[in-house]
Amino acid sequence: MDEESEKPERLDIPKKAIYRLSIYHRCLQKLKDNGQDTVSSTTLAKAAGVKPAQLRRDIGYFGQFGTRGLGYPVDGLIATIREALGREHLQPVILVGAGNLGSALLRYHGFQKEGFEVIAAFDARPDEARARTLNIPVHDVTELENFIFNNDVKLAILCVPIGFAQEVVNRLVASGIQGILNFSPIMLEVPADVTVNNVDLALELEHLGYFIR
Amino acid sequence: MDEESEKPERLDIPKKAIYRLSIYHRCLQKLKDNGQDTVSSTTLAKAAGVKPAQLRRDIGYFGQFGTRGLGYPVDGLIATIREALGREHLQPVILVGAGNLGSALLRYHGFQKEGFEVIAAFDARPDEARARTLNIPVHDVTELENFIFNNDVKLAILCVPIGFAQEVVNRLVASGIQGILNFSPIMLEVPADVTVNNVDLALELEHLGYFIR
DNA sequence: AAGTGTGAAAAGTTTCACAGCG
DNA sequence: CGCTGTGAAACTTTTCACACTT
């Protein structure tokens, strides 16, 4: 949620800018596929749905990459963003809680596409039948600690029922997990050097309720 | 994404405050279940994971409800928030795109719990077998317009493949949908009086990548 | 004494606007 | 000329701190 930790430099980059970086990355990928090799802030900004000045500012946080009068090199920018987001290498991820939502996420291939690999799932009562329909091993949750340690996993997706969330998180943190994508509608308590990202589906729907009349 | 529309007063309330309102609502519900009938900003704020001053400010956007020296009436606050979020009545919702993620969301009961009812799903090629495993009708997407009109639906959950997203959104908007919960990793174009809420799962995972070392 | 409501300060973020480079 | 890079202005949101009420 927050970090006043040991990371150099990077601390004064707005969190929202980090999110936009991923969006830019996707747009750049598409441009690259189309054979573009340079792009102006105006063009990229339009594709990403932001203002050109904001895009330039966001990119500026990481250095100077553009050529005045021309624009940015597509490949160069992609490399820079991958580097910034720590995505040079395939990142292993585990998923805890292979219930309805959890199994759906395992079948969802959006993660894989973006440089993450969900290498295993864990559940309190692994469902053999369901496990066979996924092509990822579903382990008993008791094996969590060993697996994380042996495979040097840093990221976890959490889909367990509310009542178990905090307990599981404590174990994840103790085993060395540094980032948690949390689908339980609950505020998790973690040390300052662990980042939690909440995805609260009901909350997003409720939020819309405010804007419809 | 933004609105400079005809809504009175409410325009100067921060969007983030609206999100927090849903969180407060949940915490209040829990307090009520525990038999509490008043709560101080300090207590509620701790439960919601925010600072007391922020909670008071957020609540203050909607009026004065507290009693100095005592706190807020739990019931009163719940009522106020429900009213603000437009949740006095059960809100019908449709889901478009009953693929992997879509069907998982249909099985997810978090929405129902929070006052929304997913009353129908639509798909380009409704899968009969899969439909039987859900207890919600899956219609052909051609019936979209009629259904929305006949049932006065205002909210839609969008889980179609990227390539179809904008096209479907145009139809939703033309049929009177005012709020869209979008799971496709794409920036949708909608008129200013329609609100889009993006839930981009891959992006959330990428965001975590920045914070792990 | 306990706790709200809120001006005013601080912090965070976006946008403008333009100098300066290729 | 076109487009980046960026100071400075504008705007938004959070936090402080305290007067005020029960």
Side-chain angles (χ1 to χ4, degrees):
Chain A
M1 235 75 232
D2 61 278
E3 28 1 90
E4 70 272 12
S5 11
E6 347 60 27
K7 293 140 199 162
E9 271 301 307
R10 326 166 88 214
L11 291 193
D12 40 6
I13 298 170
K15 294 209 180 129
K16 290 189 168 181
I18 311 295
Y19 271 102
R20 288 189 298 261
L21 240 40
S22 300
I23 300 176
Y24 303 154
H25 184 264
R26 258 189 222 147
C27 298
L28 286 162
Q29 209 74 56
K30 202 179 298 174
L31 286 167
K32 183 181 172 152
D33 293 347
N34 289 351
Q36 298 282 329
D37 51 328
T38 56
V39 64
S40 72
S41 60
T42 313
T43 308
L44 184 50
K46 197 166 297 171
V50 303
K51 298 234 164 108
Q54 181 161 72
L55 182 126
R56 295 200 298 276
R57 175 78 68 199
D58 285 346
I59 289 172
Y61 289 125
F62 298 93
Q64 302 183 185
F65 302 97
T67 309
R68 295 175 192 224
L70 222 194
Y72 298 95
V74 171
D75 278 332
L77 258 195
I78 288 177
T80 303
I81 295 179
R82 291 180 78 84
E83 153 78 31
L85 293 176
R87 303 234 344 257
E88 302 99 331
H89 309 296
L90 198 65
Q91 188 66 241
V93 183
I94 57 167
L95 182 144
V96 190
N100 263 327
L101 186 59
S103 347
L105 293 176
L106 290 174
R107 275 186 278 260
Y108 174 72
H109 294 288
F111 296 137
Q112 268 72 356
K113 226 179 334 187
E114 299 288 351
F116 297 92
E117 187 184 5
V118 183
I119 58 172
F122 296 85
D123 201 277
R125 282 178 287 112
D127 178 333
E128 272 306 325
R130 183 178 250 166
R132 269 191 294 279
T133 73
L134 307 166
N135 41 12
I136 285 169
V138 181
H139 302 293
D140 191 280
V141 76
T142 50
E143 299 172 37
L144 203 52
E145 282 82 354
N146 274 333
F147 190 95
I148 293 173
F149 185 78
N150 292 334
N151 295 273
D152 195 28
V153 182
K154 300 270 187 3
L155 292 176
I157 301 175
L158 189 73
C159 307
V160 302
I162 300 191
F164 301 103
Q166 184 62 54
E167 175 202 328
V168 171
V169 164
N170 295 346
R171 291 174 56 190
L172 291 172
V173 168
S175 313
I177 288 290
Q178 293 175 33
I180 298 171
L181 188 53
N182 171 40
F183 286 84
S184 303
I186 189 185
M187 285 310 247
L188 300 172
E189 312 218 337
V190 294
D193 59 339
V194 175
T195 307
V196 175
N197 227 289
N198 296 299
V199 177
D200 188 327
L201 301 175
L203 191 124
E204 299 294 335
L205 202 48
E206 287 185 70
H207 186 242
L208 282 177
Y210 179 80
F211 295 103
I212 63 170
R213 262 324 88 178
Chain B
M1 236 76 230
D2 60 278
E3 27 5 86
E4 70 271 14
S5 9
E6 349 58 28
K7 291 140 203 162
E9 270 302 310
R10 327 164 88 215
L11 291 191
D12 40 6
I13 299 171
K15 295 212 180 126
K16 290 190 168 179
I18 312 294
Y19 272 101
R20 289 189 298 262
L21 240 39
S22 301
I23 300 175
Y24 303 154
H25 184 264
R26 260 189 221 146
C27 299
L28 285 162
Q29 209 74 56
K30 201 178 299 175
L31 286 167
K32 183 180 171 152
D33 293 348
N34 289 351
Q36 297 283 327
D37 52 327
T38 55
V39 64
S40 72
S41 60
T42 312
T43 308
L44 184 50
K46 197 165 295 169
V50 302
K51 297 232 164 109
Q54 181 161 72
L55 182 127
R56 294 200 299 275
R57 176 77 71 198
D58 286 345
I59 289 172
Y61 289 125
F62 299 93
Q64 302 184 185
F65 302 97
T67 307
R68 295 175 191 222
L70 222 193
Y72 298 95
V74 171
D75 278 332
L77 257 195
I78 288 178
T80 303
I81 294 179
R82 292 181 77 86
E83 153 79 31
L85 293 176
R87 304 233 345 256
E88 302 97 333
H89 310 295
L90 198 66
Q91 189 66 241
V93 182
I94 57 168
L95 182 145
V96 190
N100 263 328
L101 186 59
S103 338
L105 293 177
L106 290 173
R107 274 185 278 260
Y108 175 70
H109 294 287
F111 297 136
Q112 269 73 354
K113 226 180 331 188
E114 297 290 349
F116 297 93
E117 188 185 5
V118 183
I119 58 172
F122 295 85
D123 201 278
R125 283 179 286 111
D127 179 332
E128 271 307 323
R130 184 179 250 165
R132 268 191 295 278
T133 74
L134 307 165
N135 41 11
I136 285 171
V138 182
H139 301 293
D140 191 279
V141 75
T142 51
E143 298 172 39
L144 203 52
E145 282 83 354
N146 275 334
F147 191 95
I148 293 173
F149 185 77
N150 291 335
N151 295 273
D152 196 29
V153 182
K154 301 270 189 1
L155 292 176
I157 301 175
L158 190 73
C159 306
V160 302
I162 300 191
F164 301 102
Q166 185 62 54
E167 175 201 327
V168 170
V169 164
N170 296 345
R171 290 174 58 190
L172 290 172
V173 169
S175 314
I177 289 291
Q178 292 175 31
I180 298 171
L181 189 53
N182 172 40
F183 287 84
S184 305
I186 189 186
M187 285 310 250
L188 300 172
E189 311 218 337
V190 294
D193 59 338
V194 175
T195 307
V196 175
N197 228 289
N198 296 298
V199 176
D200 189 328
L201 302 175
L203 192 124
E204 300 294 335
L205 202 47
E206 287 186 66
H207 187 242
L208 281 178
Y210 179 80
F211 295 102
I212 63 169
R213 260 328 86 179

